[in-house]
PDB file of all heavy atoms in Angstrom:
ATOM      1  N   ARG A 412     -39.183  -8.079   0.037  1.00  0.00           N
ATOM      2  CA  ARG A 412     -39.589  -6.740  -0.365  1.00  0.00           C
ATOM      3  C   ARG A 412     -40.896  -6.300   0.281  1.00  0.00           C
ATOM      4  O   ARG A 412     -41.298  -5.154   0.126  1.00  0.00           O
ATOM      5  CB  ARG A 412     -39.756  -6.670  -1.884  1.00  0.00           C
ATOM      6  CG  ARG A 412     -38.495  -7.017  -2.660  1.00  0.00           C
ATOM      7  CD  ARG A 412     -38.637  -6.639  -4.112  1.00  0.00           C
ATOM      8  NE  ARG A 412     -37.507  -7.114  -4.909  1.00  0.00           N
ATOM      9  CZ  ARG A 412     -37.243  -6.707  -6.137  1.00  0.00           C
ATOM     10  NH1 ARG A 412     -38.009  -5.827  -6.729  1.00  0.00           N
ATOM     11  NH2 ARG A 412     -36.199  -7.177  -6.802  1.00  0.00           N
ATOM     12  N   ASN A 413     -41.552  -7.194   0.987  1.00  0.00           N
ATOM     13  CA  ASN A 413     -42.872  -6.854   1.502  1.00  0.00           C
ATOM     14  C   ASN A 413     -42.830  -5.905   2.686  1.00  0.00           C
ATOM     15  O   ASN A 413     -43.866  -5.421   3.139  1.00  0.00           O
ATOM     16  CB  ASN A 413     -43.626  -8.136   1.892  1.00  0.00           C
ATOM     17  CG  ASN A 413     -42.922  -8.907   2.992  1.00  0.00           C
ATOM     18  OD1 ASN A 413     -41.703  -8.923   3.054  1.00  0.00           O
ATOM     19  ND2 ASN A 413     -43.686  -9.570   3.843  1.00  0.00           N
ATOM     20  N   VAL A 414     -41.638  -5.612   3.220  1.00  0.00           N
ATOM     21  CA  VAL A 414     -41.535  -4.696   4.355  1.00  0.00           C
ATOM     22  C   VAL A 414     -40.757  -3.437   3.976  1.00  0.00           C
ATOM     23  O   VAL A 414     -40.365  -2.654   4.836  1.00  0.00           O
ATOM     24  CB  VAL A 414     -40.830  -5.387   5.545  1.00  0.00           C
ATOM     25  CG1 VAL A 414     -41.662  -6.534   6.062  1.00  0.00           C
ATOM     26  CG2 VAL A 414     -39.433  -5.852   5.170  1.00  0.00           C
ATOM     27  N   GLY A 415     -40.539  -3.231   2.710  1.00  0.00           N
ATOM     28  CA  GLY A 415     -39.649  -2.172   2.261  1.00  0.00           C
ATOM     29  C   GLY A 415     -38.462  -2.818   1.589  1.00  0.00           C
ATOM     30  O   GLY A 415     -38.437  -4.034   1.402  1.00  0.00           O
ATOM     31  N   VAL A 416     -37.477  -2.028   1.214  1.00  0.00           N
ATOM     32  CA  VAL A 416     -36.382  -2.640   0.463  1.00  0.00           C
ATOM     33  C   VAL A 416     -35.079  -1.890   0.703  1.00  0.00           C
ATOM     34  O   VAL A 416     -35.072  -0.694   0.980  1.00  0.00           O
ATOM     35  CB  VAL A 416     -36.721  -2.679  -1.042  1.00  0.00           C
ATOM     36  CG1 VAL A 416     -36.671  -1.280  -1.638  1.00  0.00           C
ATOM     37  CG2 VAL A 416     -35.823  -3.624  -1.805  1.00  0.00           C
ATOM     38  N   TRP A 417     -34.008  -2.649   0.636  1.00  0.00           N
ATOM     39  CA  TRP A 417     -32.656  -2.100   0.578  1.00  0.00           C
ATOM     40  C   TRP A 417     -32.085  -2.438  -0.800  1.00  0.00           C
ATOM     41  O   TRP A 417     -32.231  -3.561  -1.282  1.00  0.00           O
ATOM     42  CB  TRP A 417     -31.745  -2.737   1.629  1.00  0.00           C
ATOM     43  CG  TRP A 417     -32.025  -2.338   3.050  1.00  0.00           C
ATOM     44  CD1 TRP A 417     -33.008  -1.525   3.515  1.00  0.00           C
ATOM     45  CD2 TRP A 417     -31.270  -2.760   4.192  1.00  0.00           C
ATOM     46  NE1 TRP A 417     -32.936  -1.406   4.868  1.00  0.00           N
ATOM     47  CE2 TRP A 417     -31.869  -2.152   5.320  1.00  0.00           C
ATOM     48  CE3 TRP A 417     -30.167  -3.568   4.382  1.00  0.00           C
ATOM     49  CZ2 TRP A 417     -31.400  -2.344   6.616  1.00  0.00           C
ATOM     50  CZ3 TRP A 417     -29.688  -3.764   5.661  1.00  0.00           C
ATOM     51  CH2 TRP A 417     -30.298  -3.150   6.770  1.00  0.00           C
ATOM     52  N   TRP A 418     -31.443  -1.461  -1.406  1.00  0.00           N
ATOM     53  CA  TRP A 418     -30.775  -1.680  -2.684  1.00  0.00           C
ATOM     54  C   TRP A 418     -29.274  -1.464  -2.512  1.00  0.00           C
ATOM     55  O   TRP A 418     -28.853  -0.518  -1.841  1.00  0.00           O
ATOM     56  CB  TRP A 418     -31.278  -0.693  -3.750  1.00  0.00           C
ATOM     57  CG  TRP A 418     -32.703  -0.868  -4.152  1.00  0.00           C
ATOM     58  CD1 TRP A 418     -33.771  -0.114  -3.745  1.00  0.00           C
ATOM     59  CD2 TRP A 418     -33.228  -1.850  -5.045  1.00  0.00           C
ATOM     60  NE1 TRP A 418     -34.922  -0.573  -4.325  1.00  0.00           N
ATOM     61  CE2 TRP A 418     -34.628  -1.638  -5.124  1.00  0.00           C
ATOM     62  CE3 TRP A 418     -32.662  -2.896  -5.770  1.00  0.00           C
ATOM     63  CZ2 TRP A 418     -35.455  -2.423  -5.915  1.00  0.00           C
ATOM     64  CZ3 TRP A 418     -33.491  -3.678  -6.562  1.00  0.00           C
ATOM     65  CH2 TRP A 418     -34.866  -3.445  -6.628  1.00  0.00           C
ATOM     66  N   LYS A 419     -28.471  -2.321  -3.129  1.00  0.00           N
ATOM     67  CA  LYS A 419     -27.020  -2.090  -3.191  1.00  0.00           C
ATOM     68  C   LYS A 419     -26.688  -1.589  -4.591  1.00  0.00           C
ATOM     69  O   LYS A 419     -26.888  -2.291  -5.579  1.00  0.00           O
ATOM     70  CB  LYS A 419     -26.234  -3.349  -2.827  1.00  0.00           C
ATOM     71  CG  LYS A 419     -26.666  -4.634  -3.500  1.00  0.00           C
ATOM     72  CD  LYS A 419     -25.892  -5.819  -2.940  1.00  0.00           C
ATOM     73  CE  LYS A 419     -26.381  -7.122  -3.568  1.00  0.00           C
ATOM     74  NZ  LYS A 419     -25.689  -8.309  -3.000  1.00  0.00           N
ATOM     75  N   TRP A 420     -26.217  -0.360  -4.640  1.00  0.00           N
ATOM     76  CA  TRP A 420     -25.887   0.309  -5.903  1.00  0.00           C
ATOM     77  C   TRP A 420     -24.376   0.293  -6.038  1.00  0.00           C
ATOM     78  O   TRP A 420     -23.689   1.247  -5.702  1.00  0.00           O
ATOM     79  CB  TRP A 420     -26.455   1.726  -5.878  1.00  0.00           C
ATOM     80  CG  TRP A 420     -26.403   2.442  -7.195  1.00  0.00           C
ATOM     81  CD1 TRP A 420     -26.314   1.887  -8.433  1.00  0.00           C
ATOM     82  CD2 TRP A 420     -26.443   3.867  -7.381  1.00  0.00           C
ATOM     83  NE1 TRP A 420     -26.299   2.866  -9.391  1.00  0.00           N
ATOM     84  CE2 TRP A 420     -26.382   4.090  -8.773  1.00  0.00           C
ATOM     85  CE3 TRP A 420     -26.517   4.946  -6.523  1.00  0.00           C
ATOM     86  CZ2 TRP A 420     -26.395   5.381  -9.319  1.00  0.00           C
ATOM     87  CZ3 TRP A 420     -26.532   6.228  -7.061  1.00  0.00           C
ATOM     88  CH2 TRP A 420     -26.474   6.450  -8.436  1.00  0.00           C
ATOM     89  N   LYS A 421     -23.861  -0.839  -6.514  1.00  0.00           N
ATOM     90  CA  LYS A 421     -22.417  -1.053  -6.552  1.00  0.00           C
ATOM     91  C   LYS A 421     -21.804  -0.429  -7.798  1.00  0.00           C
ATOM     92  O   LYS A 421     -22.467  -0.281  -8.835  1.00  0.00           O
ATOM     93  CB  LYS A 421     -22.095  -2.552  -6.503  1.00  0.00           C
ATOM     94  CG  LYS A 421     -22.572  -3.248  -5.239  1.00  0.00           C
ATOM     95  CD  LYS A 421     -22.254  -4.732  -5.239  1.00  0.00           C
ATOM     96  CE  LYS A 421     -20.777  -4.989  -5.131  1.00  0.00           C
ATOM     97  NZ  LYS A 421     -20.469  -6.425  -4.971  1.00  0.00           N
ATOM     98  N   ILE A 422     -20.550  -0.074  -7.676  1.00  0.00           N
ATOM     99  CA  ILE A 422     -19.818   0.423  -8.836  1.00  0.00           C
ATOM    100  C   ILE A 422     -19.471  -0.755  -9.740  1.00  0.00           C
ATOM    101  O   ILE A 422     -19.495  -1.908  -9.328  1.00  0.00           O
ATOM    102  CB  ILE A 422     -18.537   1.155  -8.403  1.00  0.00           C
ATOM    103  CG1 ILE A 422     -17.709   0.262  -7.469  1.00  0.00           C
ATOM    104  CG2 ILE A 422     -18.866   2.470  -7.735  1.00  0.00           C
ATOM    105  CD1 ILE A 422     -16.366   0.857  -7.085  1.00  0.00           C
ATOM    106  N   ASP A 423     -19.168  -0.440 -10.987  1.00  0.00           N
ATOM    107  CA  ASP A 423     -18.784  -1.493 -11.927  1.00  0.00           C
ATOM    108  C   ASP A 423     -17.489  -2.158 -11.447  1.00  0.00           C
ATOM    109  O   ASP A 423     -16.628  -1.498 -10.847  1.00  0.00           O
ATOM    110  CB  ASP A 423     -18.573  -0.915 -13.324  1.00  0.00           C
ATOM    111  CG  ASP A 423     -19.867  -0.406 -13.927  1.00  0.00           C
ATOM    112  OD1 ASP A 423     -20.931  -0.914 -13.532  1.00  0.00           O
ATOM    113  OD2 ASP A 423     -19.819   0.521 -14.760  1.00  0.00           O
ATOM    114  N   PRO A 424     -17.324  -3.450 -11.709  1.00  0.00           N
ATOM    115  CA  PRO A 424     -16.113  -4.141 -11.244  1.00  0.00           C
ATOM    116  C   PRO A 424     -14.880  -3.670 -12.012  1.00  0.00           C
ATOM    117  O   PRO A 424     -14.982  -3.092 -13.100  1.00  0.00           O
ATOM    118  CB  PRO A 424     -16.411  -5.610 -11.546  1.00  0.00           C
ATOM    119  CG  PRO A 424     -17.375  -5.566 -12.693  1.00  0.00           C
ATOM    120  CD  PRO A 424     -18.223  -4.342 -12.447  1.00  0.00           C
ATOM    121  N   TYR A 425     -13.714  -3.909 -11.400  1.00  0.00           N
ATOM    122  CA  TYR A 425     -12.483  -3.788 -12.173  1.00  0.00           C
ATOM    123  C   TYR A 425     -12.566  -4.785 -13.328  1.00  0.00           C
ATOM    124  O   TYR A 425     -13.217  -5.834 -13.212  1.00  0.00           O
ATOM    125  CB  TYR A 425     -11.276  -4.168 -11.323  1.00  0.00           C
ATOM    126  CG  TYR A 425     -10.929  -3.255 -10.179  1.00  0.00           C
ATOM    127  CD1 TYR A 425     -11.344  -3.539  -8.892  1.00  0.00           C
ATOM    128  CD2 TYR A 425     -10.128  -2.131 -10.382  1.00  0.00           C
ATOM    129  CE1 TYR A 425     -10.991  -2.724  -7.819  1.00  0.00           C
ATOM    130  CE2 TYR A 425      -9.764  -1.315  -9.323  1.00  0.00           C
ATOM    131  CZ  TYR A 425     -10.196  -1.609  -8.044  1.00  0.00           C
ATOM    132  OH  TYR A 425      -9.839  -0.814  -7.000  1.00  0.00           O
ATOM    133  N   SER A 426     -11.886  -4.501 -14.405  1.00  0.00           N
ATOM    134  CA  SER A 426     -11.855  -5.481 -15.496  1.00  0.00           C
ATOM    135  C   SER A 426     -10.530  -5.387 -16.239  1.00  0.00           C
ATOM    136  O   SER A 426      -9.886  -4.323 -16.254  1.00  0.00           O
ATOM    137  CB  SER A 426     -13.018  -5.266 -16.467  1.00  0.00           C
ATOM    138  OG  SER A 426     -12.892  -4.039 -17.160  1.00  0.00           O
ATOM    139  N   ILE A 427     -10.157  -6.507 -16.820  1.00  0.00           N
ATOM    140  CA  ILE A 427      -8.903  -6.575 -17.575  1.00  0.00           C
ATOM    141  C   ILE A 427      -9.035  -7.685 -18.607  1.00  0.00           C
ATOM    142  O   ILE A 427      -9.755  -8.677 -18.383  1.00  0.00           O
ATOM    143  CB  ILE A 427      -7.706  -6.825 -16.635  1.00  0.00           C
ATOM    144  CG1 ILE A 427      -6.404  -6.384 -17.295  1.00  0.00           C
ATOM    145  CG2 ILE A 427      -7.628  -8.274 -16.195  1.00  0.00           C
ATOM    146  CD1 ILE A 427      -5.438  -5.760 -16.360  1.00  0.00           C
ATOM    147  N   ASP A 428      -8.393  -7.518 -19.741  1.00  0.00           N
ATOM    148  CA  ASP A 428      -8.405  -8.543 -20.782  1.00  0.00           C
ATOM    149  C   ASP A 428      -7.234  -9.484 -20.568  1.00  0.00           C
ATOM    150  O   ASP A 428      -6.071  -9.048 -20.524  1.00  0.00           O
ATOM    151  CB  ASP A 428      -8.324  -7.904 -22.171  1.00  0.00           C
ATOM    152  CG  ASP A 428      -9.590  -7.143 -22.532  1.00  0.00           C
ATOM    153  OD1 ASP A 428     -10.654  -7.509 -22.005  1.00  0.00           O
ATOM    154  OD2 ASP A 428      -9.518  -6.181 -23.321  1.00  0.00           O
ATOM    155  N   ALA A 429      -7.536 -10.778 -20.414  1.00  0.00           N
ATOM    156  CA  ALA A 429      -6.520 -11.763 -20.061  1.00  0.00           C
ATOM    157  C   ALA A 429      -6.587 -12.968 -20.986  1.00  0.00           C
ATOM    158  O   ALA A 429      -7.589 -13.195 -21.680  1.00  0.00           O
ATOM    159  CB  ALA A 429      -6.700 -12.203 -18.612  1.00  0.00           C
ATOM    160  N   VAL A 430      -5.525 -13.763 -20.967  1.00  0.00           N
ATOM    161  CA  VAL A 430      -5.376 -14.916 -21.861  1.00  0.00           C
ATOM    162  C   VAL A 430      -5.554 -16.209 -21.078  1.00  0.00           C
ATOM    163  O   VAL A 430      -4.976 -16.374 -19.990  1.00  0.00           O
ATOM    164  CB  VAL A 430      -3.979 -14.901 -22.522  1.00  0.00           C
ATOM    165  CG1 VAL A 430      -3.839 -16.081 -23.492  1.00  0.00           C
ATOM    166  CG2 VAL A 430      -3.744 -13.581 -23.241  1.00  0.00           C
ATOM    167  N   LEU A 431      -6.323 -17.135 -21.610  1.00  0.00           N
ATOM    168  CA  LEU A 431      -6.497 -18.442 -20.980  1.00  0.00           C
ATOM    169  C   LEU A 431      -5.259 -19.298 -21.247  1.00  0.00           C
ATOM    170  O   LEU A 431      -4.875 -19.485 -22.399  1.00  0.00           O
ATOM    171  CB  LEU A 431      -7.751 -19.127 -21.527  1.00  0.00           C
ATOM    172  CG  LEU A 431      -8.219 -20.411 -20.817  1.00  0.00           C
ATOM    173  CD1 LEU A 431      -9.718 -20.593 -20.995  1.00  0.00           C
ATOM    174  CD2 LEU A 431      -7.504 -21.647 -21.347  1.00  0.00           C
ATOM    175  N   ILE A 432      -4.645 -19.820 -20.162  1.00  0.00           N
ATOM    176  CA  ILE A 432      -3.431 -20.633 -20.347  1.00  0.00           C
ATOM    177  C   ILE A 432      -3.551 -22.030 -19.735  1.00  0.00           C
ATOM    178  O   ILE A 432      -2.802 -22.931 -20.113  1.00  0.00           O
ATOM    179  CB  ILE A 432      -2.191 -19.931 -19.786  1.00  0.00           C
ATOM    180  CG1 ILE A 432      -2.335 -19.645 -18.292  1.00  0.00           C
ATOM    181  CG2 ILE A 432      -1.908 -18.644 -20.557  1.00  0.00           C
ATOM    182  CD1 ILE A 432      -1.061 -19.149 -17.637  1.00  0.00           C
ATOM    183  N   TYR A 433      -4.445 -22.234 -18.753  1.00  0.00           N
ATOM    184  CA  TYR A 433      -4.661 -23.560 -18.166  1.00  0.00           C
ATOM    185  C   TYR A 433      -6.158 -23.815 -18.053  1.00  0.00           C
ATOM    186  O   TYR A 433      -6.965 -22.878 -17.918  1.00  0.00           O
ATOM    187  CB  TYR A 433      -4.043 -23.676 -16.762  1.00  0.00           C
ATOM    188  CG  TYR A 433      -2.558 -23.491 -16.696  1.00  0.00           C
ATOM    189  CD1 TYR A 433      -2.005 -22.392 -16.048  1.00  0.00           C
ATOM    190  CD2 TYR A 433      -1.690 -24.428 -17.261  1.00  0.00           C
ATOM    191  CE1 TYR A 433      -0.631 -22.216 -15.977  1.00  0.00           C
ATOM    192  CE2 TYR A 433      -0.317 -24.254 -17.201  1.00  0.00           C
ATOM    193  CZ  TYR A 433       0.201 -23.149 -16.560  1.00  0.00           C
ATOM    194  OH  TYR A 433       1.562 -22.972 -16.499  1.00  0.00           O
ATOM    195  N   ALA A 434      -6.546 -25.079 -18.049  1.00  0.00           N
ATOM    196  CA  ALA A 434      -7.950 -25.446 -17.902  1.00  0.00           C
ATOM    197  C   ALA A 434      -8.063 -26.761 -17.142  1.00  0.00           C
ATOM    198  O   ALA A 434      -7.194 -27.636 -17.265  1.00  0.00           O
ATOM    199  CB  ALA A 434      -8.622 -25.575 -19.265  1.00  0.00           C
ATOM    200  N   GLN A 435      -9.130 -26.878 -16.384  1.00  0.00           N
ATOM    201  CA  GLN A 435      -9.397 -28.090 -15.615  1.00  0.00           C
ATOM    202  C   GLN A 435     -10.868 -28.438 -15.753  1.00  0.00           C
ATOM    203  O   GLN A 435     -11.723 -27.549 -15.850  1.00  0.00           O
ATOM    204  CB  GLN A 435      -9.043 -27.877 -14.141  1.00  0.00           C
ATOM    205  CG  GLN A 435      -9.180 -29.125 -13.279  1.00  0.00           C
ATOM    206  CD  GLN A 435      -8.607 -28.912 -11.877  1.00  0.00           C
ATOM    207  OE1 GLN A 435      -7.911 -27.938 -11.622  1.00  0.00           O
ATOM    208  NE2 GLN A 435      -8.904 -29.828 -10.973  1.00  0.00           N
ATOM    209  N   SER A 436     -11.168 -29.732 -15.771  1.00  0.00           N
ATOM    210  CA  SER A 436     -12.558 -30.154 -15.932  1.00  0.00           C
ATOM    211  C   SER A 436     -13.367 -29.804 -14.696  1.00  0.00           C
ATOM    212  O   SER A 436     -12.841 -29.671 -13.595  1.00  0.00           O
ATOM    213  CB  SER A 436     -12.632 -31.656 -16.201  1.00  0.00           C
ATOM    214  OG  SER A 436     -11.997 -32.377 -15.166  1.00  0.00           O
ATOM    215  N   GLY A 437     -14.676 -29.682 -14.903  1.00  0.00           N
ATOM    216  CA  GLY A 437     -15.568 -29.323 -13.811  1.00  0.00           C
ATOM    217  C   GLY A 437     -16.005 -30.537 -13.014  1.00  0.00           C
ATOM    218  O   GLY A 437     -15.362 -31.589 -13.047  1.00  0.00           O
ATOM    219  N   HIS A 438     -17.129 -30.388 -12.322  1.00  0.00           N
ATOM    220  CA  HIS A 438     -17.654 -31.463 -11.487  1.00  0.00           C
ATOM    221  C   HIS A 438     -19.135 -31.647 -11.783  1.00  0.00           C
ATOM    222  O   HIS A 438     -19.782 -30.800 -12.401  1.00  0.00           O
ATOM    223  CB  HIS A 438     -17.444 -31.144 -10.009  1.00  0.00           C
ATOM    224  CG  HIS A 438     -16.003 -31.043  -9.611  1.00  0.00           C
ATOM    225  ND1 HIS A 438     -15.236 -32.148  -9.324  1.00  0.00           N
ATOM    226  CD2 HIS A 438     -15.183 -29.975  -9.484  1.00  0.00           C
ATOM    227  CE1 HIS A 438     -14.008 -31.770  -9.023  1.00  0.00           C
ATOM    228  NE2 HIS A 438     -13.947 -30.456  -9.112  1.00  0.00           N
ATOM    229  N   GLY A 439     -19.663 -32.768 -11.325  1.00  0.00           N
ATOM    230  CA  GLY A 439     -21.087 -33.025 -11.516  1.00  0.00           C
ATOM    231  C   GLY A 439     -21.435 -33.127 -12.984  1.00  0.00           C
ATOM    232  O   GLY A 439     -20.782 -33.835 -13.761  1.00  0.00           O
ATOM    233  N   ARG A 440     -22.444 -32.373 -13.417  1.00  0.00           N
ATOM    234  CA  ARG A 440     -22.894 -32.462 -14.813  1.00  0.00           C
ATOM    235  C   ARG A 440     -21.876 -31.889 -15.791  1.00  0.00           C
ATOM    236  O   ARG A 440     -21.997 -32.093 -17.006  1.00  0.00           O
ATOM    237  CB  ARG A 440     -24.237 -31.739 -14.971  1.00  0.00           C
ATOM    238  CG  ARG A 440     -24.192 -30.237 -14.826  1.00  0.00           C
ATOM    239  CD  ARG A 440     -25.576 -29.632 -14.946  1.00  0.00           C
ATOM    240  NE  ARG A 440     -25.569 -28.184 -14.913  1.00  0.00           N
ATOM    241  CZ  ARG A 440     -25.440 -27.404 -15.976  1.00  0.00           C
ATOM    242  NH1 ARG A 440     -25.297 -27.946 -17.178  1.00  0.00           N
ATOM    243  NH2 ARG A 440     -25.468 -26.092 -15.872  1.00  0.00           N
ATOM    244  N   ARG A 441     -20.883 -31.171 -15.275  1.00  0.00           N
ATOM    245  CA  ARG A 441     -19.855 -30.605 -16.150  1.00  0.00           C
ATOM    246  C   ARG A 441     -18.524 -31.343 -16.018  1.00  0.00           C
ATOM    247  O   ARG A 441     -17.479 -30.809 -16.376  1.00  0.00           O
ATOM    248  CB  ARG A 441     -19.662 -29.122 -15.835  1.00  0.00           C
ATOM    249  CG  ARG A 441     -20.854 -28.265 -16.266  1.00  0.00           C
ATOM    250  CD  ARG A 441     -20.633 -26.801 -15.963  1.00  0.00           C
ATOM    251  NE  ARG A 441     -21.662 -25.974 -16.559  1.00  0.00           N
ATOM    252  CZ  ARG A 441     -21.769 -24.663 -16.392  1.00  0.00           C
ATOM    253  NH1 ARG A 441     -20.885 -24.042 -15.615  1.00  0.00           N
ATOM    254  NH2 ARG A 441     -22.740 -23.973 -16.971  1.00  0.00           N
ATOM    255  N   ALA A 442     -18.580 -32.571 -15.521  1.00  0.00           N
ATOM    256  CA  ALA A 442     -17.349 -33.331 -15.318  1.00  0.00           C
ATOM    257  C   ALA A 442     -16.650 -33.651 -16.636  1.00  0.00           C
ATOM    258  O   ALA A 442     -15.447 -33.896 -16.659  1.00  0.00           O
ATOM    259  CB  ALA A 442     -17.654 -34.620 -14.561  1.00  0.00           C
ATOM    260  N   GLN A 443     -17.392 -33.660 -17.742  1.00  0.00           N
ATOM    261  CA  GLN A 443     -16.805 -33.989 -19.040  1.00  0.00           C
ATOM    262  C   GLN A 443     -16.375 -32.750 -19.815  1.00  0.00           C
ATOM    263  O   GLN A 443     -15.947 -32.857 -20.965  1.00  0.00           O
ATOM    264  CB  GLN A 443     -17.814 -34.781 -19.881  1.00  0.00           C
ATOM    265  CG  GLN A 443     -18.277 -36.079 -19.238  1.00  0.00           C
ATOM    266  CD  GLN A 443     -17.124 -37.008 -18.926  1.00  0.00           C
ATOM    267  OE1 GLN A 443     -16.308 -37.291 -19.783  1.00  0.00           O
ATOM    268  NE2 GLN A 443     -17.056 -37.481 -17.692  1.00  0.00           N
TER     269      GLN A 443
END
Side-chain angles (χ1 to χ4, degrees):
R412 301 192 187 194
N413 62 326
V414 295
V416 71
W417 289 2
W418 294 102
K419 48 186 177 183
W420 190 22
K421 298 179 69 173
I422 53 175
D423 293 334
Y425 293 97
S426 67
I427 201 143
D428 291 333
V430 182
L431 190 153
I432 60 171
Y433 299 113
Q435 185 171 347
S436 56
H438 297 278
R440 69 182 184 89
R441 290 181 171 176
Q443 301 302 308

